[in-house]
Amino acid sequence: MKKYFLPTLTAAVLTACAPTAKTPTAATTPPSAAEPATQAAAPNWQEQAEAFLKEYSAEYQRLYTQSSEAEWRSNTHIVTGDTTNAGATARANERMAAFTGSARNIQRLRELLEHKQDLTEIQVKQLQTALYNAANSPQTIADVVKRRIKAEAAQTEKLYGFDYKYQGKSVTTNDLDELLRKENNPLKRQQIWEASKAIGPTLKDGLLNLRDLRNQTVQALGYPDYFSYQASDYGMSREEVMTLVRKINEELRPLYRELHTYARYELAKKYGVKQVPDYLPASWLPNRWGQDWSAMVDVKGLNLDPVLAKKGPEWQVKQAERFYQSLGFQALPAVFWEKSSLYPLPKGATYKKNNHASAWHMDLNQDVRSLMSVEGNTEWYETTHHELGHIYYYLTYTNPEVPPLLRQGANRGYHEAMGSLMGLAATQKPFLAGLGLIDPKVKTDETQTLLKEALNYAVFIPFASGVMSEWENSFYADKLPADQLNARWWQLAKQYQGIVPPTPRGEQYLDPATKTHINDDPAQYYDYALSYVILFQLHDHIAKKILKQDPHATNYYGSKEVGAFLADIMRPGSSKDWRTVLREKTGEDLSARAMVEYFQPLMAYLKQQNKGRKYTM
């Protein structure tokens, strides 16, 4: 799963207001009769807010850029045993923290927000965003913030510097993913899966320490815990966010139940196992966390790997840019090509890089970059379109109407929705035929295509809004005991995904920590689940209302109307409430309706396949 980047300290700020302590106002006495009747002019709060925001935003942008540059180096140049980059990153983030969380800024923000009825809506949004940022680094507890930043930098070094081993050889996570997609021997699959989990125990102490430091940090500004803090970014309480993600899970449960039954039987057949298990062994699935099963299905006529391997990685990135240009977006700025890290490191490189795809808005202006390891295959083809979705979102809301503080998605999920929407659009048959990647006359099995998509999109929901969100909610808000971390993870995997570990996984392991986001993008994985729901709502609207095409067979390429629809959503950044944006653009509130409807034609097929099979979910 790909996540767009915002420096740790400034990540994802929305319209929510941190709980504000009321600033006491001095008691005033009415003028006595003897005093002259002239009164001092009432303070002009709009002017005061404007002056403060101008000064604040300039410094914020300067420090944000420094922090981004340091983080970029830490992610693109990892030398085992060399802590230079980690030290520089920690110092840049400390400077950012000292500013965004300064006691003086917090006091002034609260004071101005006391008079929000006298301010413009966009001023209020900026002030609330700045106060939200402050809660991640309040200098009223500067020592805690400093310890948290240092701990985060150390955890990142451990995370990306880890040497994975399989059959005695060093392997990358890309290698392990490839093996899990292709290996048919269940015993070997188990060894590969276990190799992918070996990093967990090395991250345990760091993660427990980070939990305490993250919770203490936001508690200083009145949030009960770090999960509640992240949820407030949506203008919602922790309970409201959890209710929303549970509702999405429920809406998709009937489809997931069919997919789960189908997968158990099909994989048992594939691996030559006579006794079909009631729950899916995690090592059977073509993904380390069971979040994407689409590699189970090959759609004849839609295997792009040989074609893409010939075209090479550079073509994929350039083609993704051409797609956005066809919709009316500009060419990418030169800095993107000059400074991005787009391809795997050459063999024998003396350093490592983070292979997890991400998009970066370095200076909240025109410096946009992507960190990828693009290879000529279908997965990276989809990923390049996804990451450029983030990049074009950055560029579209970087306009004079949107102040730097509000240059972010309408909510965190919107950014992912844009990326994933373009990934979906770029893999539909009429689109691929138009590019000459497949023969337009080739007969493809529509049901198999839909099944492959369901094994990607629908299967992801129980992992993202179920396992990940429930685990982090337990971890941060319910203070999950240190001796129950792995047990809780597998309890949730069984409940939501119907997945169990291939062998018992005691507390000597820490399987949740093998997921990048648990360490360095915490307590907001539901963003991805919500993004898929939003993506299908947007796609449904584009297909039916703009293109007048079947949602299963669209071609966005060259449609300036589609480009204008997307740009309208992107342009305001977070200066408009995300619920308003969704309602205005699609005519409905957040709901899995469009997603359920999209996969409805698959249900009859799955029920037919599963006739006589045992359901266990």
Side-chain angles (χ1 to χ4, degrees):
M1 214 359 75
K2 327 297 179 236
K3 187 84 174 180
Y4 69 101
F5 171 85
L6 288 162
T8 317
L9 287 157
T10 55
V13 277
L14 278 211
T15 59
C17 178
T20 54
K22 295 287 180 197
T23 313
T25 48
T28 54
T29 50
S32 68
E35 286 176 344
T38 55
Q39 282 182 310
N44 186 323
W45 290 106
Q46 270 191 40
E47 278 178 18
Q48 288 195 32
E50 208 50 47
F52 171 80
L53 284 166
K54 188 179 176 187
E55 189 186 326
Y56 178 98
S57 297
E59 183 63 0
Y60 175 82
Q61 200 165 358
R62 186 181 75 79
L63 292 167
Y64 182 103
T65 306
Q66 288 180 5
S67 175
S68 306
E69 288 287 4
E71 294 269 7
W72 178 261
R73 282 190 297 277
S74 279
N75 278 269
T76 55
H77 200 100
I78 302 164
V79 179
T80 310
D82 183 352
T83 57
T84 315
N85 281 342
T89 299
R91 286 191 297 277
N93 285 343
E94 279 163 19
R95 286 193 296 272
M96 185 74 182
F99 171 72
T100 56
S102 85
R104 178 177 159 267
N105 278 339
I106 290 170
Q107 188 185 347
R108 187 61 174 146
L109 287 163
R110 285 176 160 169
E111 186 186 359
L112 289 166
L113 283 165
E114 285 277 294
H115 300 276
K116 65 179 178 189
Q117 70 280 4
D118 301 318
L119 306 177
T120 66
E121 197 181 326
I122 204 145
Q123 284 177 332
V124 172
K125 277 195 191 298
Q126 289 174 84
L127 295 167
Q128 289 177 339
T129 295
L131 194 57
Y132 177 87
N133 285 351
N136 210 15
S137 14
Q139 295 308 289
T140 45
I141 50 160
D143 58 321
V144 175
V145 174
K146 197 169 180 176
R147 291 208 315 273
R148 193 204 77 221
I149 291 163
K150 197 174 170 189
E152 282 174 336
Q155 193 81 340
T156 299
E157 291 275 305
K158 274 190 199 160
L159 191 60
Y160 299 122
F162 189 76
D163 186 18
Y164 290 90
K165 289 269 203 297
Y166 174 59
Q167 294 184 334
K169 292 198 191 88
S170 289
V171 287
T172 66
T173 50
N174 272 6
D175 296 332
L176 292 169
D177 292 340
E178 186 67 7
L179 286 164
L180 282 176
R181 281 194 290 269
K182 297 194 167 158
E183 180 57 63
N184 284 337
N185 179 316
L187 196 61
K188 281 188 184 165
R189 291 192 64 84
Q190 186 179 320
Q191 290 165 356
I192 298 158
W193 183 86
E194 283 169 354
S196 80
K197 302 293 165 194
I199 189 174
T202 67
L203 298 166
K204 187 169 186 174
D205 290 345
L207 188 63
L208 285 165
N209 182 37
L210 279 171
R211 167 173 67 182
D212 294 343
L213 294 170
R214 283 166 178 159
N215 276 347
Q216 285 170 42
T217 302
V218 298
Q219 279 159 358
L221 249 75
Y223 292 94
D225 59 84
Y226 194 77
F227 197 96
S228 299
Y229 166 68
Q230 292 282 42
S232 77
D233 204 7
Y234 279 75
M236 299 167 88
S237 69
R238 173 174 74 91
E239 293 78 10
E240 286 169 336
V241 165
M242 292 311 295
T243 300
L244 185 62
V245 295
R246 286 167 189 153
K247 173 178 163 269
I248 289 165
N249 254 310
E250 281 308 306
E251 288 175 317
L252 281 159
R253 186 81 172 186
L255 173 61
Y256 187 77
R257 187 169 173 260
E258 297 295 337
L259 292 166
H260 179 265
T261 307
Y262 174 82
R264 281 173 29 243
Y265 281 82
E266 294 302 312
L267 290 174
K269 205 186 303 174
K270 182 178 178 179
Y271 301 142
V273 176
K274 293 206 166 40
Q275 183 64 44
V276 177
D278 283 353
Y279 293 93
L280 278 163
S283 55
W284 279 22
L285 294 161
N287 170 277
R288 285 177 271 162
W289 303 281
Q291 70 180 59
D292 175 2
W293 310 350
S294 57
M296 280 176 60
V297 176
D298 279 323
V299 182
K300 286 191 177 58
L302 271 187
N303 181 11
L304 303 178
D305 285 355
V307 190
L308 294 170
K310 278 199 201 98
K311 289 188 177 287
E314 291 86 353
W315 179 88
Q316 292 190 163
V317 188
K318 283 286 189 190
Q319 179 49 46
E321 180 191 31
R322 282 192 288 273
F323 172 34
Y324 288 93
Q325 285 180 281
S326 84
L327 300 177
F329 291 98
Q330 299 299 305
L332 289 167
V335 68
F336 175 85
W337 301 108
E338 288 157 16
K339 296 196 170 176
S340 288
S341 174
L342 299 171
Y343 310 108
L345 293 175
K347 288 272 182 270
T350 55
Y351 60 94
K352 292 184 173 184
K353 71 183 234 188
N354 175 1
N355 285 316
H356 191 84
S358 51
W360 300 52
H361 198 185
M362 300 298 293
D363 58 353
L364 298 176
N365 203 344
Q366 298 300 309
D367 186 349
V368 290
R369 303 178 199 173
S370 185
L371 170 56
M372 296 193 272
S373 291
V374 182
E375 298 183 58
N377 62 39
T378 312
E379 188 178 351
W380 279 108
Y381 165 82
E382 189 271 335
T383 300
T384 51
H385 285 78
H386 177 113
E387 294 308 326
L388 289 201
H390 294 310
I391 297 288
Y392 277 104
Y393 205 161
Y394 297 148
L395 292 169
T396 308
Y397 57 55
T398 299
N399 65 67
E401 275 68 55
V402 180
L405 275 168
L406 303 180
R407 287 179 185 172
Q408 54 206 356
N411 68 26
R412 293 189 307 252
Y414 267 74
H415 242 293
E416 285 307 313
M418 284 298 170
S420 300
L421 175 67
M422 301 322 243
L424 173 73
T427 52
Q428 294 218 316
K429 190 180 163 187
F431 183 100
L432 295 168
L435 280 188
L437 292 176
I438 60 167
D439 180 347
K441 290 194 284 293
V442 76
K443 286 272 179 280
T444 52
D445 188 322
E446 304 303 331
T447 305
Q448 289 301 297
T449 305
L450 203 52
L451 176 60
K452 191 175 180 71
E453 288 177 344
L455 292 171
N456 174 357
Y457 294 102
V459 155
F460 179 69
I461 298 290
F463 175 72
S465 64
V467 182
M468 285 287 282
S469 299
E470 296 281 4
W471 191 87
E472 289 196 292
N473 182 37
S474 294
F475 187 63
Y476 288 100
D478 302 332
K479 316 295 181 291
L480 184 63
D483 62 356
Q484 291 173 33
L485 304 182
N486 226 39
R488 176 71 174 142
W489 177 261
W490 287 108
Q491 177 207 338
L492 290 165
K494 188 176 183 181
Q495 178 190 338
Y496 280 96
Q497 294 178 285
I499 291 174
V500 291
T503 54
R505 304 286 290 178
E507 292 301 322
Q508 71 271 34
Y509 302 106
L510 187 58
D511 297 321
T514 66
K515 187 73 184 155
T516 311
H517 306 72
I518 296 276
N519 301 279
D520 64 1
D521 205 3
Q524 51 178 336
Y525 204 79
Y526 50 82
D527 291 355
Y528 292 115
L530 298 180
S531 80
Y532 275 11
V533 172
I534 294 167
L535 131 72
F536 277 96
Q537 285 184 267
L538 297 180
H539 178 69
D540 189 69
H541 181 87
I542 288 169
K544 292 174 180 170
K545 304 277 166 54
I546 300 176
L547 296 172
K548 310 282 194 284
Q549 293 171 358
D550 174 0
H552 306 96
T554 60
N555 190 355
Y556 291 18
Y557 212 94
S559 169
K560 298 291 189 283
E561 203 182 334
V562 169
F565 171 78
L566 296 172
D568 282 351
I569 294 170
M570 294 173 168
R571 199 174 296 107
S574 70
S575 63
K576 276 176 90 167
D577 183 88
W578 68 272
R579 287 159 283 210
T580 309
V581 173
L582 191 64
R583 211 173 295 120
E584 281 179 1
K585 297 311 291 180
T586 67
E588 63 178 352
D589 292 319
L590 187 82
S591 149
R593 177 210 55 83
M595 195 172 182
V596 170
E597 215 172 89
Y598 185 89
F599 290 112
Q600 201 51 45
L602 186 63
M603 286 294 274
Y605 168 81
L606 287 170
K607 282 186 169 146
Q608 184 60 42
Q609 295 297 304
N610 291 333
K611 206 173 250 181
R613 290 173 172 179
K614 180 184 175 187
Y615 288 83
T616 51
M617 282 195 78

